[in-house]
Amino acid sequence: MLIRVELPRDEDAIRLVHARAFRRPEATDEEPIEARLVDDLRDSPEWIPELSIVAINRTDVVGHVVCTRAYVGADAHPVLGLGPLGVSPRWQHQGVGSELMRAAIAAADALGEPLIGLLGSPDFYGRFGFVTSTDHGVLAPERGWGKHFQVRVLRAYSAAARGAFRYAKPFDSV
């Protein structure tokens, strides 16, 4: 398995990974919103190319994760929003998502980013140091997300990054 930054030639394969990973059984003919979200993020000013990471098995893209610019608080402290993270169903439960998470966290830390926020399973993301966002004074974009909205602080973290979390604009349509 090779983990690397997305290349322009990967765009169609990334869309397909998210389409397969997020397809609902009752809507097999409908493209999941996550597949289009990555395209919309790529076209937004919040896109950070170095934080769009793929997992490759031989020549095929089998997983993808992206972090984009997000903001915390009234002072709009720049942080990261992670997602979507998708793995083709055939490759799920084989450690691909975990490798993508480790790579995204390491890359974000190397770039001097202070914090990553995400919505997801506390059981899965807790393994990577994510905690309930309110532990660091960060409020979820939606109150009902509760413990499922989590943050991971990085080396450049400052406690000044407190308040409401705002994802990149394309998330507003999700």
Side-chain angles (χ1 to χ4, degrees), residues 72 115-118 122 125-126 129-140 145-153 157-165:
V72 170
L115 175 145
I116 302 170
L118 61 78
Y125 293 105
F130 284 85
V131 298
T132 303
S133 66
T134 54
D135 290 358
H136 290 285
V138 177
L139 306 175
W145 291 356
K147 68 180 183 175
H148 295 280
F149 188 72
Q150 303 159 72
V151 298
R152 165 79 152 73
V153 298
Y157 172 71
S158 164
R162 301 174 72 78
F165 186 95

Side-chain angles (χ1 to χ4, degrees), residues 9-168:
R9 69 176 185 251
D10 298 327
E11 289 182 18
D12 291 341
I14 289 168
R15 188 177 309 103
L16 186 58
V17 163
H18 290 293
R20 289 177 175 162
F22 291 99
R23 182 156 283 130
R24 294 186 329 266
E26 71 277 5
T28 56
D29 60 341
E30 191 177 299
E31 183 176 61
I33 199 162
E34 292 84 359
R36 181 70 191 147
L37 176 60
V38 174
D39 292 334
D40 293 343
L41 287 168
R42 197 179 285 114
D43 293 337
S44 78
E46 293 93 1
W47 182 254
I48 304 169
E50 300 85 355
L51 295 176
S52 180
I53 301 170
V54 294
I56 310 286
N57 179 46
R58 294 190 203 115
T59 59
D60 298 328
V61 174
V62 298
H64 175 255
V65 66
V66 63
C67 291
T68 51
R69 178 62 58 220
Y71 301 94
V72 170
D75 294 336
H77 293 278
V79 298
L80 296 174
L82 186 142
L85 163 66
V87 176
S88 292
R90 181 171 168 236
W91 293 95
Q92 291 175 3
H93 308 291
Q94 297 183 46
V96 175
S98 294
E99 288 304 314
L100 286 167
M101 282 303 300
R102 283 190 269 282
I105 292 166
D109 203 27
L111 290 171
E113 296 291 343
L115 175 145
I116 302 170
L118 61 78
L119 176 64
S121 164
D123 292 335
F124 179 76
Y125 293 105
R127 295 183 289 162
F128 306 101
F130 284 85
V131 298
T132 303
S133 66
T134 54
D135 290 358
H136 290 285
V138 177
L139 306 175
E142 299 285 334
R143 177 174 282 168
W145 291 356
K147 68 180 183 175
H148 295 280
F149 188 72
Q150 303 159 72
V151 298
R152 165 79 152 73
V153 298
L154 304 172
R155 286 179 295 167
Y157 172 71
S158 164
R162 301 174 72 78
F165 186 95
R166 287 177 306 171
Y167 277 105

